[in-house]
C-alpha cells in the first residue's frame, strides 16, 4: 500500500478540568494533597491523538504519516481556546455501586486571542522528509465553532490550493449558513468531503428527526431530511455524511449517488440509457442496537462525557485509509463501541485521581483483535502485571458484534422489496419476511429459542423489565411515555401530575406494561397506588376524594407515586369532570378546602375502549356522539393528557368478523404481527411459570410443536393474554373462539 499522509487540524483547545472531590477539606487551614485542577489537550489535538490510535498498526509499519498541530513552545498569540468543566463523582450506571468521574458542569469555552491576526499552528509528526515532500492525502478538520471555521488564515494549505486532497473529513457541530469552512469545502471539493455530524446538531437547526421512539422512525425521518429537508441545500452536496446518535446507540451513513430519473427517450440527446442525470444523497446504512433507542443510555448514565464525535471521526478515517480491510460496517460499529466505552468509563474509577480518558481502551476497540502483548522481554514484573490487566479488559469478541444493520432496499433483486424507499422502513419485515406465514414461522422460533437468540435478535424492541414488544406502534408509544416520564422527573418546576392514558383489549397487559416501565425507570421502590373507579359506590365522590388524599400523602413526601385509575371511562364517562382540576391545577377541592398535590404520575387505564382513537370522540362524524362526549367534558379531559399508548395484546387489531372473513387467505391475514405478539407472551409464560421446560444452557424450550402452533394460530383468545395463561395452565386445550 502506498504511503498515506494525513493532516489533522482545526480548533485548538486547552481543557481545564476542575475536580470536585468529596474528600476535600472544608476550610482554609487544612492542606490540599490532591490535584484540584489539571489540563488536557483538546479539540484538534485530541482528535489527532485518537486518529493515531485508530491507525496504530499502520504507523508502526511506516505505511502512513499523521501530522497534527504543534503543542509545545507556542507563542502567546497562538489560536488556542480555553474550556472549563467540573468533574464530579457519579455512579457508573443506574443501580451500579461502582463510581467514576464524569463532568457535572460544563462552564463554557472560547477563544483567548484575536483569531483574525493569528497564524495557523505549524504541523508536526512523522519523519521530517515526509513533511517536506508528501502532500496530504487525507485532511481531517475539527470544527468546534471557536473561530477556525470563519478565519481562513487558520486553514491548512492542503485545502487552499486548486488541487484537492484525495479525502477531506470534516467533524462539525454547527451547520448553518455562517459556517464559512463548511460552505467553502462543499463549493470547492464536494466530491471529496465526508461530514461527521450528530443527530442533535441536525435537530438544532430544524431537522424533524424524533428522538428515542423507534429505529424505523429514525431511518425514515433522517432519510427524509436528506431527501427533502434543509440538508438537501448543503450537507447533501458532500460525498458522504455520517450521522451519529446519542450514547453510541447507532449511526447512519448517507452517500451521494448519481441516479437516472426515469427512462431516457431514444430520441434524446442522452442516447446512453445509463447516462446519469441527477445527483442525490441516498441512505446507505444504519447501525443500531436492537434492544435500545437513542437517549436510553444517557438516562441511565448520569453526568457528561465528551469525545464521541472525535472517536467516530477517527474510525471513519481508518475506513478511508483501509476500505478493504476496515469496511464501513466495521468502522461504524467499532467507533460506536469505542465511544460507548469512553462514556461508560468516563474519567476512570474514583480511586484514580485526577480523572483521565482511557485512550488504551479506546484504541483496543478501534483496532480489535490486535493483542496488547508487547515483545519486549525486559519488562519488569509490575509492567507485566499491567499488561495482564490490560489483556483481561480486552474485548473477547469484535466490538461491532452487538450492532445490526439496516440497509437500502434498492440492493435487493425482489421487485416488491426493492421498491420500498428508506422513508418507509419496516425492520421487522426485513428480518422475518413479509406475509402471515413468514411471521408464523418467526413466532414459532421465538417460542422455542426466545426473542434474543432467534430470528428476532436483530429486530428493534422495547424492553422494560418483563415487558417486551417488537410491534412498531407499541414501541413508539411506550418509548414516548418513557421520554415524557424522564423529562417530568427532571423538571422541578412542573408541579402538575403527568397524566397519560393506556388502552387495550381486556387481557392485553396494558397495566403490566406501564408498571414494568416504571420499575425499569424508578426501581422496585416505586410507590404504586391503584384505584378501580368501576368499584366505587354510585356517587363515589367521597371515595374519590379519599383516593386523592392518599395520592397527596404519597406525593408530598418527595416521591413521585404512580397512580392507576383503572376503568376511568366506565359509568358513562361520569368520572372525567372530577379529574379536570387535579390534572390542570395539581389540586382538588373537598368540602370547603383546596388540597394541592405534589408531583405524581396519573395513569388512566381504559375499561370500555380498546384504543385511544375509540375513546376520543372529539371529532366523530356523528354530531350526537360529539355532543355527548363534549357534555361529559371529554375534550377537556383529552386536552389535559400528555401522552397515551395502545397495547394491542395477542389478538388481531380488527373486528372479529373481518378476522374470520380473511382467515381463508392466510397470506393476506390482517395484522400479521399479532402472531409475533402471541409468541412473545407465550415465551414469557414459559420462562416465568415453566422454567423446567427450558434447557439450562441453550434455553431452548422442550415443548410440542403442535401445541405451540395451536396457541399461535388460533383465531382469537376470548380474554386476551388471560386466556393464554389459563390454557397454558390447563395444558390440554386452547381457550379460543
Amino acid at each position: 500500500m502506498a504511503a498515506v499522509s494525513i493532516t489533522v487540524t482545526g480548533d485548538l483547545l486547552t481543557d481545564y478540568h476542575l475536580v470536585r472531590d468529596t474528600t476535600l477539606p472544608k476550610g482554609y487551614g487544612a492542606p490540599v494533597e490532591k490535584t484540584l485542577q489539571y489540563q488536557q489537550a483538546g479539540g484538534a489535538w485530541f482528535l489527532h491523538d485518537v486518529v493515531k490510535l485508530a491507525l496504530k498498526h499502520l504507523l508502526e509499519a511506516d505505511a502512513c504519516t499523521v501530522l497534527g498541530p504543534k503543542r509545545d513552545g507556542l507563542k502567546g498569540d497562538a489560536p488556542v481556546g480555553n474550556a472549563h468543566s467540573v468533574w464530579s463523582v457519579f455512579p457508573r450506571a443506574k443501580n451500579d455501586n461502582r463510581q467514576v468521574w464524569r463532568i457535572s458542569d460544563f462552564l463554557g469555552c472560547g477563544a483567548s486571542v484575536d483569531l483574525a491576526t493569528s497564524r495557523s499552528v505549524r504541523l508536526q509528526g512523522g519523519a521530517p522528509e515526509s513533511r517536506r515532500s508528501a502532500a496530504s492525502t487525507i485532511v481531517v478538520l475539527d470544527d468546534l465553532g471557536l473561530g477556525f471555521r470563519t478565519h481562513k488564515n487558520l486553514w491548512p494549505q492542503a485545502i487552499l490550493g486548486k488541487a484537492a486532497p484525495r479525502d477531506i473529513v470534516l467533524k462539525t457541530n454547527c451547520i448553518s449558513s455562517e459556517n464559512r469552512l463548511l460552505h467553502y469545502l462543499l463549493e470547492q471539493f464536494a466530491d471529496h468531503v465526508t461530514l461527521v455530524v450528530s443527530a442533535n446538531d441536525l435537530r438544532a437547526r430544524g431537522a424533524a428527526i424524533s428522538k428515542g421512539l423507534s429505529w424505523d422512525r429514525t431511518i425514515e425521518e433522517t432519510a427524509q431530511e436528506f431527501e427533502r429537508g434543509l440538508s438537501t441545500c448543503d450537507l447533501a452536496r458532500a460525498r458522504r455524511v455520517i450521522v451519529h446518535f446519542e450514547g453510541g446507540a447507532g449511526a447512519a451513513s448517507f452517500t451521494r449517488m448519481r441516479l437516472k430519473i426515469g427512462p431516457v427517450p431514444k430520441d434524446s440527446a442522452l442516447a446512453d440509457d445509463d447516462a446519469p442525470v441527477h445527483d442525490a444523497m441516498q441512505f446507505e446504512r444504519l447501525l443500531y442496537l436492537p434492544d435500545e433507542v437513542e437517549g436510553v443510555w444517557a438516562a441511565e448514565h448520569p453526568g457528561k462525557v465528551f469525545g464521541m464525535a472525535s472517536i467516530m471521526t477517527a474510525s471513519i478515517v481508518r475506513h478511508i485509509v483501509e476500505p478493504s480491510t476496515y469496511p464501513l460496517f466495521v468502522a461504524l460499529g467499532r467507533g460506536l463501541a469505542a465511544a460507548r466505552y469512553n462514556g461508560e468509563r468516563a474519567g476512570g474509577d474514583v480511586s484514580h485521581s485526577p480523572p483521565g480518558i482511557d485512550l488504551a481502551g479506546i484504541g483496543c476497540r478501534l483496532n480489535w483483535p490486535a493483542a496488547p502483548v508487547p515483545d519486549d522481554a525486559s519488562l519488569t514484573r509490575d509492567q507485566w502485571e499491567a499488561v495482564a490487566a490490560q489483556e483481561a479488559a480486552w474485548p473477547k469478541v469484535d466490538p461491532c458484534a452487538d450492532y445490526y444493520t439496516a440497509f437500502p432496499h434498492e440492493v435487493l433483486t425482489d421487485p416488491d422489496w426493492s421498491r420500498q424507499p428508506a422513508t418507509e422502513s419496516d425492520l421487522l419485515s426485513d428480518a422475518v419476511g413479509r406475509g402471515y406465514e413468514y411471521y408464523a414461522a418467526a413466532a414459532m422460533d421465538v417460542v422455542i429459542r426466545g426473542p434474543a437468540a432467534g430470528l428476532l435478535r436483530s429486530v428493534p424492541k422495547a424492553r422494560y423489565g418483563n415487558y417486551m414488544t417488537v410491534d412498531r406502534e407499541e414501541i413508539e408509544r411506550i418509548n414516548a411515555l418513557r421520554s415524557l416520564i424522564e423529562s417530568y422527573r427532571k423538571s422541578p418546576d412542573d408541579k402538575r401530575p403527568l397524566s397519560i392514558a393506556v388502552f387495550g383489549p381486556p387481557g392485553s397487559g396494558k397495566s403490566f406494561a406501564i408498571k414494568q416501565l416504571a420499575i425499569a425507570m424508578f426501581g422496585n421502590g416505586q410507590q404504586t397506588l391503584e384505584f378501580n373507579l368501576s368499584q366505587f359506590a354510585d356517587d363515589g365522590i367521597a371515595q374519590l376524594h379519599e383516593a386523592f388524599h392518599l395520592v397527596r400523602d404519597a406525593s408530598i413526601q418527595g416521591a413521585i407515586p404512580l397512580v392507576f385509575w383503572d376503568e376511568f371511562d366506565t359509568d358513562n364517562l361520569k368520572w372525567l369532570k372530577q379529574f379536570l382540576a387535579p390534572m390542570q391545577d395539581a389540586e382538588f377541592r373537598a368540602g370547603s378546602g383546596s388540597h394541592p398535590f405534589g408531583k405524581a404520575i396519573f395513569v388512566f387505564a381504559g375499561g370500555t375502549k380498546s384504543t385511544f382513537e375509540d375513546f376520543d370522540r372529539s371529532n366523530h362524524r356523528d354530531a350526537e356522539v360529539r355532543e355527548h362526549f363534549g357534555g361529559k367534558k371529554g375534550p377537556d379531559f383529552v386536552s389535559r393528557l400528555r401522552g397515551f399508548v395502545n397495547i394491542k395484546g395477542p389478538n388481531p387489531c380488527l373486528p372479529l368478523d373481518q378476522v374470520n372473513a380473511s382467515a381463508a387467505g392466510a397470506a393476506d391475514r390482517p395484522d400479521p404481527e399479532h402472531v409475533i405478539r402471541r409468541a412473545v407472551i407465550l415465551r414469557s409464560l414459559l420462562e416465568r411459570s415453566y422454567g423446567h421446560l427450558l434447557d439450562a444452557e441453550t434455553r431452548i424450550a422442550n415443548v410440542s410443536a403442535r401445541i405451540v402452533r395451536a396457541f399461535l394460530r388460533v383465531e382469537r383468545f376470548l380474554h386476551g393474554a388471560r386466556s393464554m395463561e389459563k390454557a397454558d395452565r390447563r395444558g390440554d386445550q386452547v381457550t379460543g373462539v
Side-chain angles (χ1 to χ4, degrees):
M1 183 179 67
V4 176
S5 176
I6 303 168
T7 295
V8 182
T9 188
D11 282 309
L12 301 177
L13 269 180
T14 299
D15 286 311
Y16 292 95
H17 302 305
L18 311 177
V19 181
R20 181 183 287 137
D21 196 306
T22 57
T23 63
L24 293 177
K26 304 300 182 183
Y28 287 99
V32 176
E33 299 180 354
K34 293 188 176 182
T35 301
L36 303 183
Q37 175 179 298
Y38 73 102
Q39 64 187 56
Q40 176 184 342
W45 282 323
F46 176 73
L47 178 58
H48 174 252
D49 291 339
V50 183
V51 169
K52 289 175 64 177
L53 281 177
L55 298 171
K56 180 179 179 181
H57 76 289
L58 293 176
L59 290 170
E60 292 173 348
D62 292 327
C64 73
T65 300
V66 181
L67 307 180
K70 178 183 176 182
R71 306 189 184 202
D72 300 324
L74 296 178
K75 296 181 179 180
D77 60 348
V80 180
N82 299 321
H84 296 82
S85 55
V86 179
W87 290 71
S88 302
V89 176
F90 289 94
R92 186 164 182 170
K94 188 173 63 175
N95 302 323
D96 191 333
N97 293 327
R98 295 174 296 177
Q99 293 183 318
V100 296
W101 294 106
R102 287 202 184 98
I103 296 174
S104 57
D105 298 288
F106 178 62
L107 306 181
C109 61
S112 59
V113 297
D114 184 3
L115 298 181
T117 59
S118 297
R119 294 183 179 181
S120 61
V121 175
R122 184 168 59 87
L123 300 175
Q124 64 180 11
E129 59 272 14
S130 66
R131 294 200 300 270
R132 288 196 302 266
S133 59
S136 295
T137 310
I138 302 171
V139 176
V140 185
L141 304 173
D142 193 355
D143 172 24
L144 295 175
L146 300 180
F148 181 82
R149 69 172 62 139
T150 56
H151 293 87
K152 200 171 183 178
N153 54 298
L154 303 179
W155 299 355
Q157 289 298 317
I159 65 171
L160 293 176
K162 294 183 179 180
R166 191 191 74 187
D167 289 276
I168 301 173
V169 181
L170 173 63
K171 162 187 167 283
T172 182
N173 64 1
C174 181
I175 311 161
S176 70
S177 58
E178 299 178 357
N179 192 326
R180 184 181 179 189
L181 174 63
L182 172 63
H183 288 276
Y184 171 83
L185 294 177
L186 294 178
E187 188 69 31
Q188 299 294 326
F189 312 118
D191 291 340
H192 303 262
V193 174
T194 295
L195 301 176
V196 180
V197 300
S198 74
N200 284 335
D201 289 329
L202 291 177
R203 296 183 184 110
R205 74 156 184 174
I209 303 175
S210 56
K211 184 175 182 178
L213 295 183
S214 73
W215 288 119
D216 279 306
R217 184 178 288 254
T218 297
I219 294 172
E220 292 174 349
E221 294 176 345
T222 311
Q224 186 168 344
E225 167 65 17
F226 284 98
E227 291 181 13
R228 298 187 290 273
L230 185 60
S231 293
T232 58
C233 301
D234 45 30
L235 303 189
R237 296 163 56 195
R239 183 177 64 186
R240 174 176 281 159
V241 180
I242 305 297
V243 181
H244 54 89
F245 298 92
E246 185 178 300
S253 172
F254 293 83
T255 186
R256 182 156 50 86
M257 302 177 65
R258 297 204 156 186
L259 304 175
K260 181 177 64 175
I261 305 178
V264 179
K266 292 183 178 180
D267 56 352
S268 170
L270 296 174
D272 182 5
D273 286 350
D274 294 327
V277 296
H278 180 64
D279 281 5
M281 184 65 76
Q282 297 291 304
F283 171 65
E284 190 172 18
R285 67 179 60 225
L286 170 82
L287 263 68
Y288 64 95
L289 293 172
D291 291 343
E292 187 181 318
V293 290
E294 183 187 13
V296 172
W297 186 93
E300 295 179 350
H301 294 76
K304 300 176 182 178
V305 180
F306 296 120
M308 178 175 181
S310 294
I311 295 171
M312 291 297 300
T313 302
S315 191
I316 293 300
V317 172
R318 169 73 178 272
H319 163 69
I320 292 173
V321 174
E322 288 189 304
S324 60
T325 60
Y326 208 81
L328 184 61
F329 171 84
V330 171
L332 294 175
R334 292 184 187 171
L336 290 169
R340 171 154 292 197
Y341 171 80
N342 179 54
E344 290 174 346
R345 188 190 180 282
D349 187 85
V350 295
S351 61
H352 300 90
S353 184
I357 302 298
D358 183 7
L359 291 176
I362 295 171
C364 77
R365 282 154 181 81
L366 294 176
N367 290 286
W368 193 91
V373 180
D375 296 329
D376 189 355
S378 64
L379 295 180
T380 65
R381 178 176 178 177
D382 291 343
Q383 289 172 328
W384 277 114
E385 288 180 350
V387 170
Q390 188 178 359
E391 281 190 285
W394 198 265
K396 301 301 184 291
V397 297
D398 195 326
C400 67
D402 291 334
Y403 292 88
Y404 289 85
T405 306
F407 49 86
H409 283 210
E410 289 86 348
V411 302
L412 302 177
T413 56
D414 188 320
D416 291 335
W417 285 62
S418 62
R419 286 193 293 265
Q420 178 182 321
T423 51
E424 297 177 9
S425 178
D426 189 347
L427 295 176
L428 178 58
S429 291
D430 289 348
V432 305
R434 296 186 178 183
Y436 177 81
E437 292 301 331
Y438 284 103
Y439 281 82
M444 178 70 73
D445 183 75
V446 169
V447 176
I448 301 301
R449 295 202 288 166
L455 293 173
L456 295 190
R457 63 185 181 276
S458 66
V459 173
K461 309 170 187 68
R463 191 191 299 272
Y464 297 105
N466 292 321
Y467 171 78
M468 194 270 284
T469 181
V470 296
D471 185 280
R472 176 179 174 179
E473 183 178 343
E474 289 184 347
I475 289 173
E476 293 183 356
R477 284 296 179 185
I478 199 76
N479 283 332
L481 293 189
R482 177 196 60 80
S483 296
L484 280 172
I485 294 173
E486 191 66 36
S487 298
Y488 180 72
R489 68 189 294 194
K490 291 182 178 180
S491 176
D493 296 331
D494 189 352
K495 303 295 185 181
R496 295 181 301 157
L498 175 64
S499 300
I500 59 179
V502 55
F503 295 88
S508 61
K510 50 184 178 288
S511 296
F512 175 77
I514 301 300
K515 290 176 183 177
Q516 291 299 304
L517 173 63
I519 291 174
M521 298 187 67
F522 293 92
N524 291 317
Q526 170 67 25
Q527 186 171 5
T528 302
L529 301 173
E530 297 186 61
F531 306 100
N532 192 317
L533 297 178
S534 67
Q535 297 177 2
F536 282 12
D538 289 341
D539 56 12
I541 301 302
Q543 288 177 277
L544 182 62
H545 287 168
E546 182 180 350
F548 282 154
H549 278 294
L550 293 175
V551 174
R552 181 175 181 271
D553 291 343
S555 63
I556 63 177
Q557 293 176 2
I560 303 180
L562 183 70
V563 187
F564 279 90
W565 303 104
D566 287 329
E567 302 192 55
F568 76 96
D569 54 350
T570 56
D571 297 328
N572 198 24
L573 305 180
K574 76 173 187 178
W575 299 107
L576 299 190
K577 63 182 179 181
Q578 303 297 333
F579 286 99
L580 297 182
M583 294 168 71
Q584 180 66 30
D585 304 321
E587 63 180 21
F588 68 98
R589 297 188 64 84
S592 59
S594 177
H595 307 277
F597 288 113
K599 293 174 76 73
I601 301 174
F602 283 4
V603 180
F604 295 94
T608 65
K609 304 298 182 182
S610 298
T611 67
F612 173 79
E613 292 76 13
D614 288 340
F615 166 75
D616 184 9
R617 301 291 175 164
S618 303
N619 298 310
H620 197 276
R621 61 177 179 271
D622 189 324
E624 186 175 343
V625 173
R626 291 198 307 271
E627 183 177 348
H628 175 266
F629 190 68
K632 295 296 182 179
K633 299 297 182 180
D636 293 330
F637 179 86
V638 169
S639 69
R640 287 163 170 78
L641 291 175
R642 301 200 219 177
F644 72 90
V645 61
N646 296 326
I647 303 297
K648 297 180 179 180
N651 290 324
C653 295
L654 286 172
L656 181 59
D657 57 346
Q658 293 187 33
V659 175
N660 291 334
S662 62
D668 298 323
R669 283 191 183 185
D671 186 22
E673 294 87 352
H674 79 273
V675 70
I676 300 285
R677 299 196 296 271
R678 287 181 180 179
V680 171
I681 295 172
L682 182 55
R683 176 71 186 196
S684 177
L685 290 173
L686 291 175
E687 292 178 348
R688 283 184 289 159
S689 304
Y690 298 92
H692 63 282
L693 296 177
L694 306 180
D695 184 89
E697 295 184 3
T698 65
R699 307 302 292 169
I700 293 177
N702 183 22
V703 295
S704 167
R706 294 176 61 187
I707 295 296
V708 175
R709 189 176 296 110
F711 271 98
L712 297 178
R713 291 180 177 265
V714 68
E715 291 175 3
R716 178 174 288 265
F717 290 96
L718 288 175
H719 306 294
R722 298 192 189 106
S723 292
M724 293 184 69
E725 186 172 3
K726 183 178 180 182
D728 181 57
R729 289 174 177 171
R730 288 195 344 225
D732 57 351
Q733 64 178 354
V734 176
T735 304
V737 173

